[in-house]
Amino acid sequence: MSTTPPGRLLGSGRRADVYEIDEAWVLRREREGGGDAAGEGAVMEHVRAHGYPVPRVRPSGSRTDLVMERLLGPTMLQACLAGTLDVTEAGSVLARLLRRLHTIPALRSSDPAVRVLHLDLHPENVILTPDGPRVIDWSNTEEGDPALDWATSAVILAQAAVAGDALSAPARTMLTALLADPSPLTRPALTEALRRRSASPTMSRTEVELLGAAEELILSQRQTR
């Protein structure tokens, strides 16, 4: 595993940092030795081969380092906060990205009901490039029931919506738009998404405490449609 950053730090997330390589490529490095860069890259290449909007990737020879195409543009969240993207449209875009992803067959499973899942699709993981939205951060990806993917995105938005800060109102609007059309989200999938979110080591105690209210909000949105 490489220990020397290849260039300047461009950004940091809950568990990884992104470094500049050159004008065309960046490196995302998992902290604390985590990650499966080869597995994540294989999934990204698989969905990209089916026309899904993700960055190109190339081998790094490291479990923690993922080398990928450098994308130009704001995140969906940045665009919403800047007023250049309507918040309702942002929620609708997330829904379209989920639906489109779940048309792609699994990479490993032969079960036709199993699909590639992102499991962290939210406004900070969508980059609005001149060529359209691109989905990043596939470190949680699995194969399984699409209902879990919908539930996970709904829980992330609902947590923000009930947090009582500046992002709460736009997050609530995005959640409403996400759930505005029929989706495969089910109660068991929601229960599993909440369980996983609660057990995540990246969640603070305050964030975990919001999950009950987040669940109530999602169920109320589902019941009013």
Side-chain angles (χ1 to χ4, degrees):
M1 180 184 72
S2 173
T3 58
T4 304
R8 66 187 177 96
L9 181 67
L10 297 176
S12 295
R14 289 179 182 261
R15 63 190 188 192
D17 303 302
V18 177
Y19 297 96
E20 178 182 61
I21 294 178
D22 54 34
E23 292 183 356
W25 298 93
V26 297
L27 181 147
R28 198 203 68 215
R29 173 166 292 159
E30 293 276 345
R31 294 190 291 271
E32 301 178 2
D36 177 13
E40 184 176 349
V43 172
M44 293 174 69
E45 284 296 281
H46 172 67
V47 299
R48 194 171 76 87
H50 285 79
Y52 198 74
V54 297
R56 291 176 294 143
V57 297
R58 70 185 192 194
S60 69
S62 167
R63 182 170 57 83
T64 61
D65 291 356
L66 180 66
V67 177
M68 59 185 178
E69 178 185 3
R70 187 171 186 172
L71 302 178
L72 300 179
T75 66
M76 178 181 283
L77 178 61
Q78 290 170 336
C80 287
L81 294 177
T84 57
L85 177 65
D86 178 76
V87 178
T88 298
E89 176 61 16
S92 297
V93 170
L94 289 175
R96 290 197 293 270
L97 287 169
L98 284 169
R99 288 193 196 93
R100 185 173 175 185
L101 176 61
H102 300 150
T103 65
I104 299 172
L107 176 60
R108 298 175 181 87
S109 175
S110 59
D111 185 341
V114 171
R115 288 291 186 263
V116 176
L117 311 181
H118 185 277
L119 297 178
D120 199 21
L121 186 58
H122 59 76
E124 290 184 279
N125 281 339
V126 179
I127 306 293
L128 302 180
T129 76
D131 297 324
R134 302 271 199 101
V135 178
I136 61 170
D137 196 353
W138 292 75
S139 56
N140 289 345
T141 185
E142 295 179 13
E143 295 182 352
D145 183 353
L148 181 59
D149 226 356
W150 282 86
T152 301
S153 291
V155 168
I156 294 170
L157 290 177
Q159 269 184 296
V162 300
D165 57 25
L167 295 180
S168 293
R172 183 180 290 260
T173 301
M174 284 186 214
L175 177 65
T176 300
L178 177 75
L179 300 177
D181 296 324
S183 76
L185 193 155
T186 62
R187 186 63 183 267
L190 178 58
T191 299
E192 176 63 10
L194 290 162
R195 184 196 67 78
R196 291 184 179 211
R197 194 78 171 157
S198 177
S200 172
T202 67
M203 289 287 99
S204 68
R205 179 176 179 179
T206 299
E207 289 172 314
V208 171
E209 290 173 347
L210 293 172
L211 289 173
E215 179 181 16
E216 291 179 6
L217 178 59
I218 293 168
L219 291 175
S220 71
Q221 293 277 3
R222 294 285 290 178
Q223 291 167 357
T224 56
R225 291 195 293 105

